[in-house]
Amino acid sequence: MSRTSPIAKVYLFLVFAFLYAPIFYLIFYSFNSGGTMSSFDGFTLEHYGAVFQDNRLMVIVINTVLVALLSALLSSAIGVLGAVGIIFIQRKKYRQTLLTMNNILIVSPDVIIGASLLILFTLIGIKLGFASVLIAHVAFSVPIVVLMVLPKLQEMNQSYIDAALDLGASKRDIFTKVILPYIQPGVFAGFFLALTYSLDDFAVTFFVTGNGFSTLSVEIYSMARAGITLTINALSGILFIVTFVLVLGYYALSNKMKSPIRAGVPK
Amino acid sequence: MTKYIQAIVGILIVCVLLFFVRNELNASSNSKSADVLTIYNWGEYMDPELVDRFEEETGIRVIYETFDSNEAMMTKIEQGGTSYDLAMPSEYAIEKMKENNLLIPIDSSKLPNLQHIDPYFLDLPFDPGNEYSIPYFWGTVGVAFNPTLLEGQTFESWEDLWDPALKDEIILVDGAREVIGMGLNSLGYSLNSTNPAEIDEAREKLTTLSPNIKAILGDEIVETMRRGEASIALVWSGQAADIMWVNEDIDYVVPKEGSNLWFDNMVIPSTAANVEGAHKFINFMLDPEVAAQNADYVGYSTPNKDALPIMDPEVTEDTRFYPTEEMRERLEVYKNLGPEMLGKYNEAFLKFKIDAQ
């Protein structure tokens, strides 16, 4: 760092200021005793109290986190298997086709995915609610996990598998003791990316919510007409701090356990 | 592999814990009745305390969901999947829903509290005889302005907006019916005009306003006005109330030539599973005391005449939000002009926006 020029430092500072300014602005006003974000009248914690008193809001927050965790877990499992399947297809043409289809799902607009899922669910008679939201989130997270895992698989040396085979490993052993440990960083990256995708998705979720099951993004968006209350600011503040602590904890843990993973050497 | 198992077990434990907390919260807020009522309303458009009170009084469990636009709401209802028992669309959406057979007729014999509604708000062109809808909130379209930024200028008439002194001061709401309607009103025509010549004339008149126009915006108008970044805006009275709530300098006026009167109404969508409960809830909301509390929470104008005496007189005597009958005579409710005429309005509005650049 000492060798970076002052201009580079200033530039870096500006980039981060630009990224974080809106969040801090929002959190700053969550302590505002006035009812809105137009002027700061005085310090108060009442909006934070309001978050915990509002049962409906708390249920929605828990819904959001539940769907995020479960969908990230499921899509990681499906995505890893999918990526392994794609990488071991011998015919290059098929592999390329499958990869392209995977990428199309990533770039296609959320509104289209949401509307198609809604039509599908009502057609086959799945009640809108927790299940439909979970399925939808798994559906749009799987391609992301595949994309995160593939590079790890591609950089893995084919000789590891050959060596394991020579030493008499079964197919199952190869998967659990060679491939999975090697691609671990990719799997966790995919999991966390799926988690964030699920947490902040609005467009797809809007179409498939129903029967009293709603997530935070849908709830906040629907406040646009009558005005968003500062309770939402307080809630955003809490979520920001929780995420911040979790990320710090993750780095602390991964630093502590920095024993490099070696493929084929079970601990 | 152990790391994976640890992670998976950890996540599942967290999920189970969250699930229990969620059920605990649900159980504490709702009675365990099998009788369920699903309400679909705008965000922040009903006092949550009233929902709790309704649950206590009737034993019906309420599921409350929110939407952000009439169009989004209609899509969800049209597709089915959720049995919405009650929704609160705006008047033009009610006509569209009626045409698409998305509504169930309301049985007014089950609504003894309907007598509290001011007859002025019943039997309107968008739903003759109130066959499908019951008024919930209402308001007007008018001019919000900041006198501190405008040396004594007032807005008795739409014509005042054309004052050359107001160069680059006016913000318009981004709605074809609102803006073209303002043009028609300023010429003395009806804002439901179906005469292409009149619409054209209105557009030409609006084009001469373009030097005064600062921007054409959506919901951001509220924030822009609050901060005093603009001095005049064409807005809905609900938005004006939001602005004035924070910035007391700002005033709101419905010009004397007339303007639009808008409504949000309670309807029972065709997806309803609990029509009986929906009637109970409508009747509950029509209770003067309930309507007064709700209007106090939401801040829009209530059509409930018997709620007004219970409310803060400072609010109900404010003729900007509760205009007198004489003032209301100049106001018009939007008629459904059909897709072709609506296309004319949209085209005129688009042309005006292009010319205004």
Side-chain angles (χ1 to χ4, degrees):
Chain A
M1 271 308 272
S2 57
R3 252 182 284 160
T4 33
S5 72
I7 298 170
K9 277 182 188 162
V10 169
Y11 176 76
L12 206 62
F13 174 79
L14 285 179
V15 167
F16 275 91
F18 177 73
L19 292 177
Y20 277 86
I23 299 175
F24 288 133
Y25 180 73
L26 189 94
I27 295 178
F28 175 71
Y29 274 102
S30 71
F31 298 108
N32 185 8
S33 62
T36 63
M37 287 187 54
S38 41
S39 66
F40 196 83
D41 296 348
F43 181 84
T44 178
L45 284 174
E46 65 173 290
H47 302 301
Y48 285 87
V51 172
F52 292 101
Q53 268 162 24
D54 191 340
N55 261 346
R56 204 174 97 79
L57 194 61
M58 286 309 282
V59 168
I60 289 172
V61 172
I62 292 175
N63 283 345
T64 313
V65 177
L66 257 179
V67 166
L69 283 174
L70 286 177
S71 73
L73 195 66
L74 282 173
S75 52
S76 302
I78 299 171
V80 167
L81 291 177
V84 171
I86 289 175
I87 211 81
F88 286 116
I89 287 173
Q90 297 300 324
R91 290 276 298 273
K92 200 174 170 220
K93 203 173 81 184
Y94 291 147
R95 200 167 64 207
Q96 210 50 48
T97 313
L98 282 174
L99 268 175
T100 313
M101 283 170 72
N102 186 62
N103 291 346
I104 286 172
L105 283 179
I106 290 177
V107 294
S108 66
D110 278 1
V111 200
I112 305 222
I113 297 181
S116 357
L117 282 168
L118 172 66
I119 293 167
L120 177 74
F121 289 149
T122 46
L123 200 71
I124 59 178
I126 294 181
K127 269 266 183 193
L128 297 183
F130 176 73
S132 64
V133 175
L134 184 65
I135 296 171
H137 281 213
V138 171
F140 70 70
S141 299
V142 167
I144 298 156
V145 176
V146 171
L147 209 68
M148 296 308 290
V149 173
L150 268 178
K152 278 276 148 200
L153 282 169
Q154 273 158 350
E155 82 180 24
M156 191 174 87
N157 196 332
Q158 187 71 32
S159 332
Y160 288 145
I161 294 169
D162 295 338
L165 279 173
D166 286 346
L167 293 168
S170 67
K171 270 194 174 155
R172 202 192 126 138
D173 284 340
I174 292 176
F175 184 65
T176 57
K177 293 187 172 145
V178 181
I179 297 177
L180 275 186
Y182 192 89
I183 62 171
Q184 197 187 14
V187 177
F188 279 96
F191 174 81
F192 284 110
L193 210 59
L195 194 72
T196 48
Y197 258 70
S198 166
L199 277 178
D200 70 8
D201 178 78
F202 165 72
V204 176
T205 319
F206 170 78
F207 284 101
V208 294
T209 45
N211 287 314
F213 188 90
S214 182
T215 68
L216 207 51
S217 55
V218 176
E219 183 64 21
I220 294 176
Y221 199 80
S222 64
M223 291 180 180
R225 187 192 192 198
I228 292 165
T229 55
L230 288 187
T231 313
I232 297 301
N233 287 39
L235 180 61
S236 313
I238 295 171
L239 288 180
F240 179 73
I241 303 294
V242 170
T243 330
F244 191 70
V245 169
L246 283 180
V247 170
L248 278 188
Y250 175 73
Y251 277 110
L253 269 179
S254 58
N255 269 343
K256 214 174 111 191
M257 305 193 291
K258 219 175 187 171
S259 56
I261 306 129
R262 294 199 193 288
V265 188
K267 283 200 270 188
Chain B
M1 198 61 198
T2 45
K3 248 188 177 177
Y4 283 112
I5 293 166
Q6 277 171 3
I8 292 171
V9 170
I11 292 164
L12 287 179
I13 289 174
V14 173
C15 286
V16 170
L17 282 177
L18 284 174
F19 194 75
F20 274 112
V21 175
R22 191 177 82 113
N23 279 2
E24 204 56 35
L25 283 171
N26 263 337
S28 68
S29 67
N30 297 322
S31 53
K32 285 195 182 61
S33 165
D35 206 1
V36 178
L37 182 74
T38 312
I39 298 174
Y40 206 26
N41 196 0
W42 301 84
E44 294 285 306
Y45 210 39
M46 186 184 289
D47 187 346
E49 271 178 33
L50 291 172
V51 175
D52 292 344
R53 205 174 118 189
F54 177 75
E55 288 186 328
E56 269 169 40
E57 280 179 16
T58 58
I60 297 175
R61 195 160 68 88
V62 173
I63 295 175
Y64 189 82
E65 275 185 58
T66 52
F67 59 83
D68 72 295
S69 73
N70 285 302
E71 287 68 26
M73 180 265 311
M74 275 190 270
T75 314
K76 283 292 278 277
I77 287 178
E78 206 161 1
Q79 270 304 323
T82 302
S83 50
Y84 296 113
D85 298 310
L86 200 62
M88 280 77 164
S90 310
E91 77 288 308
Y92 74 93
I94 292 173
E95 290 197 291
K96 260 191 217 166
M97 292 174 84
K98 242 171 24 180
E99 275 169 27
N100 297 340
N101 294 322
L102 292 177
L103 298 179
I104 291 177
I106 287 174
D107 182 356
S108 47
S109 68
K110 287 182 185 155
L111 306 174
N113 280 338
L114 192 58
Q115 52 163 336
H116 299 298
I117 296 288
D118 189 337
Y120 178 84
F121 298 106
L122 297 171
D123 198 18
L124 290 162
F126 60 86
D127 184 23
N130 284 79
E131 210 180 329
Y132 294 99
S133 68
I134 302 292
Y136 183 59
F137 280 117
W138 64 281
T140 52
V141 170
V143 180
F145 63 101
N146 193 338
T148 53
L149 299 175
L150 287 170
E151 302 149 2
Q153 173 75 274
T154 51
F155 297 91
E156 302 280 300
S157 152
W158 288 115
E159 213 57 50
D160 294 335
L161 289 174
W162 271 263
D163 187 336
L166 302 176
K167 195 171 181 327
D168 249 354
E169 294 284 359
I170 302 172
I171 299 183
L172 297 180
V173 65
D174 194 1
R177 290 294 301 261
E178 281 73 23
V179 175
I180 299 294
M182 169 185 121
L184 286 165
N185 279 148
S186 73
L187 290 162
Y189 299 137
S190 158
L191 46 69
N192 289 314
S193 172
T194 50
N195 181 344
E198 288 180 4
I199 297 175
D200 249 12
E201 204 184 325
R203 182 183 57 76
E204 271 164 32
K205 171 108 194 255
L206 284 168
T207 311
T208 61
L209 181 67
S210 46
N212 288 358
I213 294 172
K214 187 187 177 100
I216 300 174
L217 300 175
D219 287 321
E220 316 89 283
I221 294 181
V222 175
E223 217 33 53
T224 323
M225 286 296 286
R226 277 176 181 172
R227 288 167 188 282
E229 281 169 29
S231 46
I232 311 160
L234 177 75
V235 289
W236 290 287
S237 58
Q239 283 183 313
D242 276 353
I243 298 167
M244 289 155 71
W245 179 257
V246 175
N247 193 335
E248 283 171 7
D249 293 339
I250 290 171
D251 202 355
Y252 175 74
V253 149
V254 179
K256 63 173 189 221
E257 292 96 336
S259 183
N260 164 237
L261 187 68
W262 58 259
F263 289 93
D264 287 332
N265 301 262
M266 297 183 268
V267 300
I268 304 179
S270 53
T271 53
N274 188 354
V275 179
E276 194 65 31
H279 280 94
K280 272 189 198 156
F281 194 84
I282 296 176
N283 194 44
F284 172 76
M285 290 313 289
L286 293 176
D287 181 79
E289 200 196 313
V290 172
Q293 187 183 336
N294 202 29
D296 186 44
Y297 178 88
V298 177
Y300 282 50
S301 312
T302 177
N304 196 314
K305 64 175 174 357
D306 295 328
L308 300 180
I310 315 174
M311 291 166 65
D312 183 359
E314 210 176 293
V315 175
T316 54
E317 279 165 19
D318 190 338
T319 52
R320 293 172 301 187
F321 298 106
Y322 288 95
T324 59
E325 265 177 58
E326 186 210 338
M327 295 160 86
R328 275 187 260 161
E329 264 165 35
R330 303 187 310 247
L331 301 174
E332 279 180 279
V333 181
Y334 289 135
K335 286 193 188 127
N336 186 8
L337 303 173
E340 200 184 323
M341 221 46 227
L342 208 61
K344 280 244 159 40
Y345 273 80
N346 285 333
E347 201 181 309
F349 183 53
L350 193 65
K351 246 188 188 162
F352 154 72
K353 282 211 269 192
I354 293 167
D355 291 343
Q357 302 257 313

